[in-house]
Amino acid sequence: MSKYDPLWEYIRKHEPEMITFDEVEAVCGIPLDHAFLTFKKELPAYGFRVGNISMKEKTIRIEKL
């Protein structure tokens, strides 16, 4: 089980086009960290992929496959 599984389930259910770093923390119960770059490879199994990650705006674009 991945520490980001709750986020992947949230994305699968709600299909957001964008999610903020704060939303990630609220859904997962942990702050977004550098490991996210490795774990984002799990998201295609849920029918989505991570698009652009904006460190300035603190947002993550989510794209449906």
Side-chain angles (χ1 to χ4, degrees):
M1 182 171 179
S2 165
K3 65 182 181 178
Y4 289 105
D5 280 348
L7 178 61
W8 308 149
E9 284 295 329
Y10 175 86
I11 290 171
R12 187 181 61 77
K13 289 179 185 174
H14 299 282
E15 300 187 9
E17 292 182 13
M18 182 132 356
I19 190 166
T20 66
F21 290 12
D22 289 339
E23 288 174 304
V24 171
E25 185 171 353
V27 171
C28 292
I30 57 170
L32 189 70
D33 60 16
H34 198 293
F36 181 79
L37 297 175
T38 300
F39 284 100
K40 73 178 187 174
K41 296 173 187 169
E42 299 171 343
L43 188 53
Y46 293 82
F48 295 85
R49 71 177 180 177
V50 172
N52 184 41
I53 300 172
S54 173
M55 298 303 288
K56 182 178 179 181
E57 296 177 16
K58 296 188 177 190
T59 58
I60 303 166
R61 181 167 305 281
I62 306 297
E63 300 169 350
K64 190 168 186 168
L65 297 177

